[in-house]
Amino acid sequence: RPETMLGDTGVAVHPDDERYTDLVGKNVVLPITGRLIPIVADHYADPEKGSGAVKITPGHDFNDFEVGKRAGLEIINILDADAHLNENVPEKYQGMERFKARDAILAEMEDLGLLDRVEDNDMTVPHGDRSGVVVEPWLMDQWFVDAKTLAKPAIEAVESGKTQFVPKTWENTYFEWMRNIQPWCVSRQLWWGHQIPAWFGPDGEVFVEMSAEAAQAAADAHYGKTVELTRDPDVLDTWFSSALWPFSTLGWPDETPELARHYPTDVLVTGFDIIFFWVARMMMMGLHFMDEVPFHTVYIHALVRDEKGQKMSKSKGNVIDPLDLINKFGADALRFTLTAFAAQGRDVKMSESRVEGYRNFCTKIWNAARFCDMNECRVDPKFNPNSVNSILNRWIVGKVSEAEKAMTAALGAYRFNDAAGALYAFTWNTFCDWYLEFAKPVFMGTDAAAKAETRATTAWVLDQIITLLHPIVPFITEELWQTRAERAQPLITTPWPVYDAALVDAAVNAEMDWVVRLISQIRAVRSEMNVPPKAKIPMLLKDGDGAAQAALATHRDLILRLAGLSDAGVLTGEVPKGAVQDVLDGAMIILPIADAIDLEVEKARLLKEISKQDAEIDRFEKKLGNAKFVANAPAEVVDGEREKLGEAQATRARLDEALKRLAAVA
């Protein structure tokens, strides 16, 4: 920026640069202007860059401004509001546009024989986001806040734990800003905002008051007569106004009931990019004006990125419009997706497929409600979960209590992903996949008492699921709440459920959880060994303790139906040939499968799959072993290849295990 040379008021050299030690304190002539300017010593000068001597323009460079303050240099403004050179430059340059002046000054320097050479110099040049033109540092009168004084109690409040950040690591960002804070320029030359409450008298005297009337009274007293005042046209920085938000919205400075009730607030949820701009400033203003922190917790939420982990931007064309996702999959599905991936300290990788997956979860809830209606599971206002008798129903009411406990604890710790995960697992797996399947024989049976209890229990459990899910998926849950029964109030105003600790029966849990794990393991072995789904095979339990044998006897019919078994019993002798084995809690599960599959065909299939996975693993390892690929490919691509390698290796391990089982059977 050669044009700013006309505003130079000094030349800085490093205090340890021996080349210039004897020149510090002397003057040089500024070309074109003929003005004498001093040579000063300052650590800002870099002896390794250029000549080691740097011209200082305090009026048009932020770093030079600081050097000028330290050295006591004159500050000269050479630009007007339109970036044309003003009256502080030689007459022939006055009124000249800055870039034209740049060329003219270079030409004159060359004519004077003072231009040594022209070199490219990489530098950061700010541009206006709307106009696209280069922004110039420009000296003008502004209003400042003594931020350093305000920051001290705000720093102490976080250090003492009065206000906490979640995740805690973001406190470091807060402290970094606050401990290095500079005076805060709060005036803006904009059309819209809170106008600064300052009025000027005829001689420039400033009167800062709460109102125009108060300013006029202060001016009249000062001058001894009535004078005309002019209000400063500047407005307050948006963040200054926003910093007052926690209490100014409640009627402050008046002591209103709303202010007494709602200040301080509880939790602020915001993004990391405005920790300094908003969070820190609310802390400073709250402590200064209210003598109390504005909130006890600051929850810093994740940044939503695209499915490759890149920040969304219009220029990249990777912006995902939430309204499009809502129109396609529903607001509940989008809400649950964002909650499920809101792990502390980890950004959300958003994709349509993920939202679609949680749309399926919402559909699962709806279908579960339809299943309940089809099986006459109607809400009974008098239902008492403590009064159920069957093992199945005692198990599920206890699982409801456990799910609520897990979700409430997760919400209290701001682990929203864990809260969503606990409800997802309970709703889809425990309730839909297991309890409703276990309950089907009861619904179709002839035991009227068991049927009535199971229907009432099922309806109650679905009601609890709807209630617990409501904060995350409010729309489908409110619809089901209001259509499944006559209600005294909407779900949104219904109290959060509190369950009796006695609902959880450890013995019942152990029994039913064992049945679930047994069926799951049998299914996994069948799949691994490629046993046809319709093939019925026997199962033998060896070395099971009394509880395992009792559970097998009690729930034998359920196990046969859901595990695809022809028979289930206890083995006391030798393991029969042609059987595959697995272990469950110290007991041996024995599945004779030799008659259900062709061992040679299955062996050939496994070997073919292993060969295929070996080729995939080799391909991924070669790719990731290529240092050039790892160094040059986008991080998300490299991570994707590593993920594929891990999946291939896991598949290979499962196939190896299946081959070993098959060898044991043969």
Side-chain angles (χ1 to χ4, degrees), residues 417-606:
N417 59 311
D418 289 343
L423 292 184
Y424 184 97
F426 173 71
T427 303
W428 193 301
N429 301 331
T430 306
F431 181 66
C432 294
D433 287 354
W434 292 109
Y435 176 75
L436 292 184
E437 288 298 322
F438 290 160
K440 283 178 181 178
V442 181
F443 294 147
M444 295 183 288
T446 57
D447 188 332
K451 190 181 296 188
E453 180 186 280
T454 302
R455 283 172 171 168
T457 302
T458 303
W460 179 82
V461 173
L462 181 59
D463 253 17
Q464 306 318 299
I465 289 172
I466 290 170
T467 303
L468 295 174
L469 279 170
H470 188 63
I472 306 176
V473 286
F475 303 106
I476 188 174
T477 50
E478 187 72 68
E479 176 71 14
L480 290 173
W481 175 264
Q482 296 192 25
T483 56
R484 292 188 65 249
E486 291 293 327
R487 310 288 188 175
Q489 57 191 348
L491 181 53
I492 195 171
T493 59
T494 299
W496 190 252
V498 178
Y499 303 114
D500 187 346
L503 289 181
V504 180
D505 187 317
V508 167
N509 264 5
E511 180 176 333
M512 291 306 300
D513 288 350
W514 183 88
V515 172
V516 169
R517 285 185 287 118
L518 174 65
I519 296 170
S520 298
Q521 284 190 225
I522 294 172
R523 287 175 171 175
V525 172
R526 286 177 62 111
S527 174
E528 187 179 283
M529 303 309 297
N530 208 27
V531 175
K534 293 184 179 180
K536 300 289 184 181
I537 60 174
M539 187 277 292
L540 297 169
L541 186 69
K542 181 177 173 62
D543 300 331
D545 60 17
Q549 293 185 31
L552 178 61
T554 302
H555 304 286
R556 184 174 181 276
D557 290 343
L558 279 180
I559 295 168
L560 292 179
R561 183 172 66 88
L562 295 177
L565 302 177
S566 59
D567 194 15
V570 175
L571 177 67
T572 56
E574 294 297 318
V575 175
K577 290 182 179 181
V580 65
Q581 303 173 34
D582 204 359
V583 177
L584 175 62
D585 297 345
M588 189 176 294
I589 304 169
I590 300 164
L591 298 171
I593 62 170
D595 295 335
I597 63 173
D598 187 320
L599 298 180
E600 290 303 318
V601 171
E602 180 58 20
K603 181 180 179 181
R605 184 188 73 83
L606 289 172

Side-chain angles (χ1 to χ4, degrees), residues 151-220:
K152 288 179 181 177
I155 292 171
E156 291 170 1
V158 177
E159 288 176 333
S160 67
K162 202 168 187 180
T163 294
Q164 298 181 351
F165 279 78
V166 179
K168 190 175 178 63
T169 52
W170 287 113
E171 289 181 1
N172 297 329
T173 300
Y174 176 83
F175 288 137
E176 179 66 22
W177 277 107
M178 297 294 270
R179 289 168 180 161
N180 297 285
I181 202 165
Q182 299 295 315
W184 176 15
C185 177
V186 295
S187 50
R188 296 291 184 272
Q189 293 72 51
L190 302 172
W191 288 106
W192 180 254
H194 289 137
Q195 192 171 357
I196 288 177
W199 288 260
F200 297 96
D203 56 357
E205 183 72 23
V206 181
F207 301 92
V208 177
E209 299 291 344
M210 293 290 288
S211 65
E213 292 75 17
Q216 188 67 58
D220 293 351

Side-chain angles (χ1 to χ4, degrees), residues 601-650:
V601 171
E602 180 58 20
K603 181 180 179 181
R605 184 188 73 83
L606 289 172
L607 289 172
K608 183 178 179 181
E609 285 296 317
I610 288 172
S611 177
K612 180 181 176 182
Q613 291 304 315
D614 283 341
E616 288 290 283
I617 290 169
D618 183 61
R619 183 169 68 86
F620 292 132
E621 285 180 339
K622 284 181 179 177
K623 202 168 189 179
L624 291 168
N626 184 337
K628 190 173 182 181
F629 167 76
V630 174
N632 297 329
E636 63 271 13
V637 173
V638 177
D639 290 341
E641 294 299 304
R642 289 196 178 111
E643 189 175 329
K644 290 174 185 176
L645 174 60
E647 290 172 356
Q649 290 171 332

Side-chain angles (χ1 to χ4, degrees), residues 406-426:
M407 184 192 183
T408 301
L411 290 179
Y414 306 100
R415 299 193 314 271
F416 301 115
N417 59 311
D418 289 343
L423 292 184
Y424 184 97
F426 173 71

Side-chain angles (χ1 to χ4, degrees), residues 342-369:
Q344 291 181 13
R346 188 181 305 165
D347 288 343
V348 176
K349 291 183 180 180
M350 177 60 71
S351 68
E352 279 202 5
S353 60
R354 286 181 165 174
V355 184
E356 183 178 12
Y358 288 111
R359 188 273 311 275
N360 296 341
F361 173 66
C362 294
T363 302
K364 189 82 170 178
I365 302 167
W366 189 267
N367 288 340

